[in-house]
Amino acid sequence: MTFKIETLRSFCAVARAGNLSDAARRLGRTQSAISMTLKQFEHTLGGALFETERKNRLTKLGEQVLLLAESQIAQFDKTVQAMETLASAPRGVLRIAAVPSVAAFAFPPVVRHLTTQHPGVKIELRDADTQQVFDALLQGWADIGITSAKRNLNGVTATALFREPFGLVLSETHALATRAGPITIHDVFAARFLRNGLCDQIDNPEVLDRLSDVDVNMRNTQSLLAMLLEGDWVTLLPCSAARLVGTGLTFRRISDLPAHRQVFLYQRTEPSSARIVGDAIDVIRALNWPGYD
Amino acid sequence: MTFKIETLRSFCAVARAGNLSDAARRLGRTQSAISMTLKQFEHTLGGALFETERKNRLTKLGEQVLLLAESQIAQFDKTVQAMETLASAPRGVLRIAAVPSVAAFAFPPVVRHLTTQHPGVKIELRDADTQQVFDALLQGWADIGITSAKRNLNGVTATALFREPFGLVLSETHALATRAGPITIHDVFAARFLRNGLCDQIDNPEVLDRLSDVDVNMRNTQSLLAMLLEGDWVTLLPCSAARLVGTGLTFRRISDLPAHRQVFLYQRTEPSSARIVGDAIDVIRALNWPGYD
DNA sequence: TGTCATGTTTCAGAAACTCTGAAATTGGGT
DNA sequence: ACCCAATTTCAGAGTTTCTGAAACATGACA
């Protein structure tokens, strides 16, 4: 007999709960059902998954299998959801995944255009990190992807979308915001600097070196911007990211930092809802992207 | 009711076969069983998957679902295989995925060391392209990965392994092999040039430009090397790739091409078979890697 | 247009699998 | 050594899935 997703689910539930009864309750089954399922799983696998009989400690094998199982379940659920989305849209679906900084700028006009030009078409948008965007493209969860990394993916074509400089983002009231004369890398790191995920992409030895000394690293863009608005913190971002909030922030080029980021547009090559995808691509390309350099 | 992997398998088989009977034969079931499974699948999905009643033409939805389903099945099977591998090795498993050029050099000593130092430990090696190596790491299919791209992966740490120059690889009998004086990019593309997957990684505008004019692109390293050994073809490769065959080929630096490739070693952070992994990492790092520049 | 060959759906019963509830058992803590 | 909480076991009930036969659809061909 072959493995079943439901078996993996049972195993994960027990591993997470630390005992059978709670897991069984969560799954809406009886203890005994879960017990039998697990026993059979261990049997077909040919090794014990738990140390004790009370299921509160995993064996080495159990830990490794748990990682695999959880990842597999997540994958499966995403696939199922993608299928249901496709099925629930008789007129077709357009699924776009983009990194947040671009998503904020690109999604509104795309939505506006599609809802008027293709009424009835279902639109699904998500912002995610670069890796997740690539995953979504590769797994068929998205038709269009936008990231700032170039990568060759099977069945996906990549084209350059725009290029923009990195620079200093800070509150309008910050001293550096209004200071006359050019701003240098030295100035940047002399200020109270916040590190963020995007600035790790900067391809400049001096910056990379100094970044490793920075203590405050923020992953979430929302709170990053909140910090900047607060007062005297600064950070490095590509210029379009500065548009994320309406007012209060400003962007300044760094005179001795030529670093840019190149943003790419990805498109699955063999999607069937071809016309809508092509149309959306056109809209995206026609947007008023930063024209620097 | 939730979807089952077996349902997806049935659907894919029918979609590939173009009719129920053949698919049923492949799956070892009756037509009617498959028919009912499919019918239920379409019902829970809420849309038709086939145009005609004869199942020989997919609907738009069907095509999209097919892509998702095939990818999902492949994923699932790999996960199952990984679980079985883990379970079949009571003393632990070490799974390494590397790009071919590095694999050829790194695998033999690693195997030699582990089989003597850790008898009974199961070793699983595979060479794959960069994307597949990252997939294997992310999905928990491999403990160690080696590629020539830097990428931040969740739950995986990256460290630089070595750095080596790109250069000309060609037969020892080729005119350029013995010619005195430095070889330039111009010389390279004046010869009969074979493009390959690795040389697309070269970060040099002039080379990239010229590469796009090259007509012959070989994906398979084996046959690439065969072509080089044949006679007067040449190609650009990182120097360690030239060691892939014993004799007959030679490597020469290009005077005006400073391009290098940096190779990285990836390691899952929370693997449970920690000691063996750490040991293998040590062996890999201690190898006599190219020491250029 | 009618007929045939091929392939699909439907259906009822059989087979396989999974679940439940109660009783037996186990193991860890005191 | 005992007790309590939790797990395993087991037989029967409940579901799901399969099969084989018969009815039905489709397209090709005369």
Side-chain angles (χ1 to χ4, degrees):
Chain A
M1 182 201 318
T2 169
F3 292 159
K4 300 206 174 84
I5 288 282
E6 289 311 311
T7 305
L8 298 188
R9 265 190 233 281
S10 300
F11 168 62
C12 290
V14 175
R16 298 187 135 291
N19 68 72
L20 272 195
S21 339
D22 290 355
R25 213 166 301 127
R26 270 179 203 285
L27 296 166
R29 305 270 115 88
T30 344
Q31 280 182 311
S32 52
I34 309 302
S35 173
M36 290 165 116
T37 303
L38 264 193
K39 184 174 179 168
Q40 188 188 321
F41 186 35
E42 285 183 322
H43 181 257
T44 58
L45 212 47
L49 294 166
F50 294 91
E51 287 289 0
T52 77
E53 193 152 326
R54 296 261 171 128
K55 266 67 181 151
N56 49 8
R57 189 181 212 92
L58 289 166
T59 61
K60 210 167 59 182
L61 174 62
E63 282 179 37
Q64 295 171 309
V65 170
L66 178 62
L67 286 178
L68 289 167
E70 289 194 319
S71 145
Q72 182 57 54
I73 289 171
Q75 289 266 96
F76 184 80
D77 289 345
K78 275 196 188 171
T79 298
V80 168
Q81 202 189 321
M83 286 179 177
E84 285 172 342
T85 302
L86 288 171
S88 69
R91 298 285 175 79
V93 203
L94 179 72
R95 300 163 301 171
I96 309 182
V99 288
S101 53
V102 182
F105 182 63
F107 286 171
V110 171
V111 170
R112 197 178 319 123
H113 177 266
L114 289 175
T115 47
T116 56
Q117 295 306 106
H118 300 276
V121 167
K122 193 157 177 168
I123 308 171
E124 194 152 279
L125 307 169
R126 59 190 253 259
D127 55 285
D129 66 37
T130 303
Q131 183 58 45
Q132 288 176 316
V133 171
F134 285 127
D135 275 355
L137 286 164
L138 282 169
Q139 305 296 328
W141 301 331
D143 306 304
I144 294 175
I146 303 177
T147 79
S148 55
K150 179 73 189 295
R151 204 169 294 176
N152 288 325
L153 307 178
N154 254 344
V156 180
T157 58
T159 50
L161 185 56
F162 69 93
R163 197 173 126 83
E164 61 176 348
F166 278 93
L168 193 64
V169 177
L170 70 180
S171 159
E172 286 170 350
T173 63
H174 193 284
L176 281 176
T178 49
R179 202 191 67 177
I183 294 183
T184 64
I185 295 179
H186 179 84
D187 295 328
V188 171
F189 287 95
R192 301 183 68 189
F193 186 83
L194 290 171
R195 187 172 172 182
N196 66 73
L198 284 172
C199 66
D200 289 342
Q201 288 177 18
I202 295 175
D203 188 19
N204 178 294
E206 185 180 354
V207 170
L208 287 178
D209 190 43
R210 286 172 174 274
L211 275 178
S212 57
D213 292 337
V214 174
D215 294 326
V216 193
N217 190 5
M218 311 212 61
R219 296 194 59 189
N220 188 310
T221 312
Q222 290 296 339
S223 40
L224 173 68
L225 295 173
M227 287 285 284
L228 298 176
L229 281 169
E230 265 309 307
D232 52 6
W233 292 92
V234 306
T235 194
L236 286 174
L237 281 175
C239 73
S240 67
R243 290 183 303 204
L244 281 175
V245 280
T247 55
L249 292 187
T250 184
F251 176 86
R252 291 198 68 174
R253 293 293 297 271
I254 314 292
S255 58
D256 55 349
L257 178 64
H260 283 249
R261 80 157 174 179
Q262 173 74 56
V263 172
F264 296 91
L265 183 63
Y266 293 83
Q267 176 183 5
R268 310 210 81 232
T269 45
E270 52 171 329
S272 330
S273 48
R275 212 173 63 260
I276 301 160
V277 174
D279 216 23
I281 294 269
D282 291 342
V283 174
I284 293 173
R285 305 204 75 89
L287 290 182
N288 181 29
W289 294 111
Y292 289 85
D293 297 38
Chain B
M1 185 202 318
T2 170
F3 293 158
K4 301 208 173 84
I5 288 282
E6 290 310 310
T7 305
L8 299 187
R9 267 191 231 281
S10 300
F11 168 62
C12 290
V14 174
R16 300 187 133 289
N19 67 74
L20 272 196
S21 337
D22 291 354
R25 213 166 300 127
R26 272 178 204 282
L27 295 168
R29 304 271 116 86
T30 340
Q31 282 184 311
S32 53
I34 308 301
S35 172
M36 290 167 119
T37 303
L38 264 192
K39 184 172 180 170
Q40 187 187 323
F41 187 36
E42 284 183 322
H43 182 257
T44 59
L45 213 48
L49 294 165
F50 294 91
E51 288 288 1
T52 76
E53 193 154 327
R54 293 262 170 134
K55 266 62 180 157
N56 49 8
R57 189 180 212 92
L58 288 166
T59 61
K60 209 166 61 180
L61 174 61
E63 283 180 36
Q64 295 172 308
V65 170
L66 178 61
L67 286 179
L68 289 167
E70 291 194 317
S71 147
Q72 182 57 53
I73 289 171
Q75 289 265 95
F76 184 81
D77 289 345
K78 275 198 186 169
T79 298
V80 168
Q81 202 190 321
M83 286 179 177
E84 286 172 340
T85 302
L86 289 172
S88 69
R91 299 285 175 82
V93 203
L94 180 72
R95 300 162 301 171
I96 309 181
V99 289
S101 53
V102 181
F105 183 64
F107 286 172
V110 171
V111 171
R112 198 176 320 123
H113 177 267
L114 288 176
T115 48
T116 57
Q117 295 306 107
H118 299 277
V121 166
K122 195 157 178 169
I123 307 171
E124 194 152 279
L125 306 168
R126 54 191 255 261
D127 54 287
D129 65 36
T130 303
Q131 183 57 45
Q132 288 176 317
V133 172
F134 286 126
D135 276 355
L137 286 164
L138 281 169
Q139 303 297 326
W141 301 330
D143 306 305
I144 295 174
I146 304 177
T147 78
S148 55
K150 179 75 190 296
R151 204 168 293 174
N152 288 325
L153 307 178
N154 253 343
V156 181
T157 58
T159 51
L161 185 56
F162 68 95
R163 197 172 125 84
E164 62 177 347
F166 278 94
L168 192 66
V169 176
L170 71 178
S171 159
E172 284 169 351
T173 63
H174 192 285
L176 280 178
T178 49
R179 202 191 68 177
I183 293 183
T184 64
I185 295 179
H186 179 83
D187 295 328
V188 171
F189 288 95
R192 301 183 66 190
F193 186 84
L194 290 170
R195 186 173 172 181
N196 67 72
L198 284 172
C199 66
D200 288 342
Q201 288 178 18
I202 296 175
D203 187 19
N204 177 296
E206 184 179 354
V207 171
L208 286 178
D209 191 43
R210 285 174 176 272
L211 276 178
S212 57
D213 293 335
V214 174
D215 294 327
V216 193
N217 190 4
M218 309 211 60
R219 294 195 59 190
N220 189 311
T221 312
Q222 290 295 339
S223 41
L224 173 68
L225 296 174
M227 287 285 285
L228 298 176
L229 281 170
E230 264 310 308
D232 53 5
W233 291 92
V234 305
T235 194
L236 285 174
L237 283 174
C239 73
S240 67
R243 290 183 302 205
L244 280 174
V245 281
T247 56
L249 292 187
T250 184
F251 176 85
R252 293 200 64 175
R253 295 292 299 271
I254 314 292
S255 60
D256 55 349
L257 178 64
H260 283 250
R261 80 158 171 175
Q262 173 74 54
V263 173
F264 296 91
L265 183 61
Y266 293 83
Q267 176 185 4
R268 310 209 81 232
T269 45
E270 51 171 329
S272 329
S273 47
R275 215 175 60 258
I276 302 160
V277 174
D279 216 23
I281 295 266
D282 292 342
V283 174
I284 292 173
R285 305 204 75 90
L287 291 181
N288 181 26
W289 294 111
Y292 288 86
D293 297 36

